Amino acid sequence: MARGGRQRGGGDRRAELVRALAGHVLSHGLGATSLAQLAQAAGTSDRMLVYYFTDKPGLMSAVLTHLAAEFTVGLDAARLPGPVSEDVLRGHLASLVLTEPARPFLQLWLEIVASAARGDPVTRDVARDIGTGYLDWITPQLDLPPAAARAAAARLLTEIEGLVLLDGIGLGAETRSAAGL
């Protein structure tokens, strides 16, 4: 849905636009998201984008949420069977996030977090939702009581984000060594 709960235009066309724009944003990052750039990438006009999404914040929220869901599908496909220890899940997650298929998603995630840290309200809200979603995804995979599992999930997310950050700035060898990979 667009910001404020409103959705305009046909659902099928809107979904097509989100998929096309998701590919563009994943390939080019947040720096290539002017309405003109997005419209060109989707083969439409900036006015049509505003028609379908009401405004740019609604458009970006839809696209970033779609990409987070797409990444989570990949994580779900690699989910370990049954709850596991924190150490086992840490190693598994580290091995997943340091792969080539994960790289564009995580490069974009770093951009989203940086934008949110600078105070952008759209990326802040989306980043909070994505971060909460990842905590929710990690928590039930841990063989711990619920409160302890949530705390361990926060630790794991912090550690994994650190690995992604170090890898993103060219410290890949150190990152892989620290992760035991």
Side-chain angles (χ1 to χ4, degrees), residues 124-146:
R124 184 190 58 234
D125 291 347
V126 170
R128 182 178 35 247
D129 290 347
I130 292 170
T132 299
Y134 291 150
L135 287 172
D136 292 345
W137 186 86
I138 294 168
T139 300
Q141 296 184 63
L142 291 164
D143 190 15
L144 295 168

Side-chain angles (χ1 to χ4, degrees), residues 3-180:
R3 230 169 113 200
R6 298 184 321 257
Q7 178 175 323
R8 290 160 56 171
D12 290 343
R13 178 64 177 142
R14 189 174 190 280
E16 289 172 19
L17 289 169
V18 166
R19 283 190 299 275
L21 295 172
H24 173 78
V25 171
L26 192 60
S27 295
H28 301 285
L30 295 179
T33 59
S34 71
L35 278 177
Q37 290 168 314
L38 293 171
Q40 182 178 10
T44 191
S45 70
D46 55 350
R47 287 182 181 207
M48 288 308 295
L49 291 178
V50 172
Y51 171 76
Y52 282 104
F53 298 95
T54 307
D55 56 18
K56 185 177 175 193
L59 167 69
M60 291 306 298
S61 179
V63 169
L64 296 176
T65 299
H66 173 84
L67 285 167
E70 193 176 314
F71 185 65
T72 301
V73 166
L75 289 176
D76 282 340
R79 186 185 290 252
L80 294 172
V84 296
S85 72
E86 188 174 346
D87 287 339
V88 168
L89 190 55
R90 177 182 299 105
H92 182 65
L93 291 175
S95 69
L96 291 175
V97 301
L98 296 175
T99 64
E100 285 305 313
R103 188 173 306 277
F105 289 96
L106 295 169
Q107 288 170 339
L108 180 60
W109 172 243
L110 291 176
E111 282 189 79
I112 293 167
V113 171
S115 178
R118 284 191 302 274
D120 177 70
V122 174
T123 53
R124 184 190 58 234
D125 291 347
V126 170
R128 182 178 35 247
D129 290 347
I130 292 170
T132 299
Y134 291 150
L135 287 172
D136 292 345
W137 186 86
I138 294 168
T139 300
Q141 296 184 63
L142 291 164
D143 190 15
L144 295 168
R150 188 63 170 200
R155 274 192 307 275
L156 283 173
L157 186 57
T158 302
E159 293 170 11
I160 297 303
E161 293 297 317
L163 291 174
V164 169
L165 178 65
L166 290 173
D167 191 59
I169 61 171
L171 297 175
E174 290 88 342
T175 302
R176 282 164 180 73
S177 174

